[in-house]
Amino acid sequence: MRSNDFFNVPLENFSCSKGQVDLPIQYFDTSLFMGLYLVASDAVKDTLLSQAMKPVILPGGKTLVGIIAFEYRDTSIGSYNEVGLAALCVPKHVENPLFSLADIFKPSNSRDLGFFIIDLPVTTEIALAAGKEYWNYPKFVAQIPLEYRADYVNFSVRDPNGSQNIMSMKGDFQLGVSLPVFDLLTYTNHTSGPSISDGSGSTQLKTLIRTKGDLRYYMYHDVTLEIGNSTHAMAKNLRKLDLDGKRPFVLAESHDFLSLLHKGVPV
């Protein structure tokens, strides 16, 4: 994997509190599991914590929300697990995309459609430090047990301050269809510092994640999300989104996922 031409990119050093990190961060060997939900747009607004972003409104007043579990077996900052909670958004000055979800497949340099990251637990201190200190991703360290086989997944996020689960997702799936992955854009709140400032004073960071591989999508599954008794902020956000006991309308997985987490640019 490491010899793949995909990773033949210039690197720039970034110093965080846990050591030196090369940017873009390189993810050589990854499995992921993604559940996509349609959530009331008003509920999404309550979880964004950003005055600069707005949820993309789909037919029926819904917004796409994703929960994605990553098993990073080999990366340029070591192996770790991660779970992302994110909502489909655009900057407030951008009109709602005419074709909404289809805009995801536009070239990354010609679109604003991306995902605002609401919560992003990880399992290592270096992943926490790099993610928070450069991109200000809303990370925290937690245990993230992840179990899977050909037709089954079971993962959870443990409350770092107690014995409860923040959330868990598990169930079986079948009859999938494979499609190429698409590049991602993420948005985070960020007060411009020396490493990202363009002089604009922007407090919103837009980041490209280049990807390669295939995603297998499943419409037929019994995977369900359960919110634990935790009082952690992530559990509260999941409750605001009314996801307890809900099944995603689409489940996706990949075991050949490659990615490059690039430097961000102020919006």
Side-chain angles (χ1 to χ4, degrees), residues 45-55 89-94 116 188-190 203-204 267:
K45 288 178 185 177
D46 289 341
T47 64
L48 290 186
L49 301 178
S50 173
Q51 298 300 312
M53 302 299 297
K54 63 182 180 183
C89 290
V90 291
K92 275 206 170 170
H93 67 273
V94 175
F116 184 85
T188 48
N189 291 324
H190 203 298
T203 58
Q204 209 68 29
V267 176

Side-chain angles (χ1 to χ4, degrees), residues 32-233:
L32 72 82
F33 296 85
M34 174 173 64
L36 297 176
Y37 296 84
L38 292 174
V39 176
S41 296
D42 287 344
V44 174
K45 288 178 185 177
D46 289 341
T47 64
L48 290 186
L49 301 178
S50 173
Q51 298 300 312
M53 302 299 297
K54 63 182 180 183
V56 171
I57 300 177
L58 303 174
K62 304 290 187 179
T63 294
L64 189 72
V65 169
I67 296 176
I68 313 176
F70 297 91
E71 181 184 62
Y72 297 123
R73 290 179 291 271
D74 185 13
T75 87
S76 56
I77 58 170
S79 61
Y80 66 100
N81 289 356
E82 178 177 72
V83 172
L85 172 62
L88 193 66
C89 290
V90 291
K92 275 206 170 170
H93 67 273
V94 175
E95 291 188 15
N96 198 72
L98 182 61
F99 298 106
S100 297
L101 293 180
D103 279 27
I104 287 178
F105 298 97
K106 284 185 178 179
S108 56
N109 60 359
S110 64
R111 64 176 158 98
D112 295 294
L113 189 71
F115 286 90
F116 184 85
I117 308 301
I118 300 169
D119 290 291
L120 197 61
V122 294
T123 55
T124 66
E125 293 289 345
I126 182 67
L128 172 74
K132 286 188 72 70
E133 293 172 26
Y134 186 84
W135 293 272
N136 199 29
Y137 283 124
K139 293 192 172 188
F140 60 94
V141 172
Q143 295 180 40
I144 304 175
L146 173 60
E147 171 195 1
Y148 57 87
R149 53 180 184 263
D151 58 357
Y152 173 81
V153 66
N154 181 5
F155 68 88
S156 60
V157 178
R158 304 288 290 173
D159 188 326
N161 301 313
S163 59
Q164 307 97 330
N165 276 345
I166 290 175
M167 59 147 289
S168 63
M169 288 183 71
K170 65 179 179 180
D172 299 291
F173 44 87
Q174 58 183 320
L175 302 177
V177 176
S178 291
L179 295 171
V181 297
F182 47 86
D183 289 345
L184 297 172
L185 293 177
T186 69
Y187 289 97
T188 48
N189 291 324
H190 203 298
T191 301
S192 293
S195 61
I196 65 165
S197 178
D198 63 352
S200 68
S202 172
T203 58
Q204 209 68 29
L205 196 67
K206 178 180 179 180
T207 300
L208 168 65
I209 302 175
R210 288 274 319 282
T211 66
K212 185 177 181 179
D214 292 300
L215 273 176
R216 191 165 182 83
Y217 294 87
Y218 298 87
M219 302 294 292
Y220 300 99
H221 66 84
D222 65 359
V223 175
T224 303
L225 185 150
E226 293 185 3
I227 305 172
N229 294 323
S230 168
T231 59
H232 190 277

